[in-house]
Amino acid sequence: MPLYRDQAIVLRTQKLGEADRIATLLTRANGKVRAVAKGVRRTSSRFGARLEPFSHVDLQLATGRTLDVVTQAESIAAYGEGIVGDYARYTAGTVLLETADRLVVEEKEPATQQHLLLAGALRVLSTGERSPALVLDSFLLRSLSISGYAPSFDDCARCGEPGPHRAFNPAAGGMVCTTCRPPASAMPAQSTVTHLAALLTGDWPTALQADPRTRREATGLIAAFFTYHQENQLRSLPHLDLTTGRP
């Protein structure tokens, strides 16, 4: 079987037989890959612990007919060590992994930007450098943007009229002018719109200045936008616990 090497983040695993696992991976060069890790559930496995969700690994894989096979695994970063022991980080992290799994649809199609974005989010989440809520909200917006669902927080999402505008509507694609505003559009505070734009662009100095009320309103709008454009809610979202405070 032909061999190839790639960096990957483990999104999820499932048992196969008595000792094997199937790992769903988001790789840097080959997109989403499903691969069999043989014997990893045995205590004598050489790399079982390296193929757990949240792990960033360097892999050698053999191309198979239906599933590839992991032949070597070296750890790059064990992000799970800084995530699974904190419930807020863990629940945010599971949403990150499920989002990446959901948005990268086709297997073996390059998704380098999504891979890099996920790796960066997991790194920050694992260190506690920023609050889980901020990491997650920024990731959701940027991941959607990479996938072609970028919201507009300045110009009208429908007609392009320069902003700022007062109304937000997920179906319309973000902020909308008075003429284009659909019924039942949200009317967020301007500080919330500024915060959303900062999260989308990675403007952390601005994002970190937002007060709790602004952050909560932004989180609700992001969840509504994501759910609309992905049709179904993420399975991990109802378990989310972001009760930890600033930063």
Side-chain angles (χ1 to χ4, degrees):
M1 294 186 291
L3 298 176
Y4 67 97
R5 199 164 198 98
D6 207 345
Q7 293 184 13
I9 295 168
V10 182
L11 301 180
R12 55 188 168 91
T13 63
Q14 63 189 89
K15 295 179 181 178
L16 179 66
E18 295 185 357
D20 304 341
R21 277 201 184 104
I22 298 174
T24 300
L25 312 163
L26 181 57
T27 69
R28 181 172 181 140
N30 292 277
K32 188 156 68 174
V33 173
R34 296 175 71 238
V36 176
K38 296 185 176 181
V40 295
R41 289 160 55 202
R42 297 193 181 103
T43 56
S44 59
S45 171
R46 290 173 296 133
F47 48 73
R50 301 169 195 166
L51 292 174
E52 295 291 337
F54 304 114
S55 296
H56 191 188
V57 288
D58 183 89
L59 300 176
Q60 179 176 279
L61 302 105
T63 304
R65 289 186 177 181
T66 55
L67 297 172
D68 293 351
V69 178
V70 178
T71 59
Q72 292 180 13
E74 298 295 335
S75 178
I76 296 174
Y79 294 127
E81 293 179 0
I83 293 175
V84 298
D86 181 277
Y87 192 65
R89 294 185 199 176
Y90 175 72
T91 55
T94 57
V95 177
L96 294 180
L97 297 185
E98 187 183 353
T99 298
D101 197 4
R102 173 84 67 88
L103 292 179
V104 182
V105 179
E106 299 295 330
E107 295 187 17
K108 295 294 184 72
E109 290 291 329
T112 303
Q113 287 182 291
Q114 292 284 12
H115 170 89
L116 294 174
L117 180 65
L118 180 59
L122 291 175
R123 179 190 61 77
V124 174
L125 187 66
S126 68
T127 62
E129 180 181 337
R130 300 188 183 106
S131 76
L134 284 180
V135 174
L136 177 58
D137 283 349
S138 180
F139 177 85
L140 290 175
L141 286 175
R142 298 170 81 176
S143 187
L144 282 167
S145 180
I146 291 171
S147 299
Y149 303 101
S152 174
F153 295 125
D154 186 13
D155 299 343
C156 176
R158 283 192 167 175
C159 71
E161 180 182 338
H165 300 294
R166 288 284 296 116
F168 178 88
N169 189 277
M175 302 303 295
V176 286
C177 66
T178 304
T179 303
C180 296
R181 182 180 67 196
S185 295
M187 304 291 284
Q190 184 56 48
S191 61
T192 301
V193 179
T194 300
H195 181 59
L196 288 166
L199 291 174
L200 177 61
T201 59
D203 179 3
W204 288 108
T206 299
L208 290 169
Q209 292 176 7
D211 59 38
R213 180 187 175 282
T214 296
R215 294 185 184 189
R216 285 194 299 270
E217 186 174 38
T219 294
L221 294 177
I222 292 167
F225 188 85
F226 186 95
T227 301
Y228 176 83
H229 288 283
Q230 291 301 303
E231 296 182 0
N232 298 316
Q233 188 183 57
L234 296 168
R235 294 186 303 273
S236 53
L237 206 56
H239 306 288
L240 196 61
D241 180 356
L242 300 177
T243 55
T244 54
R246 302 164 75 94

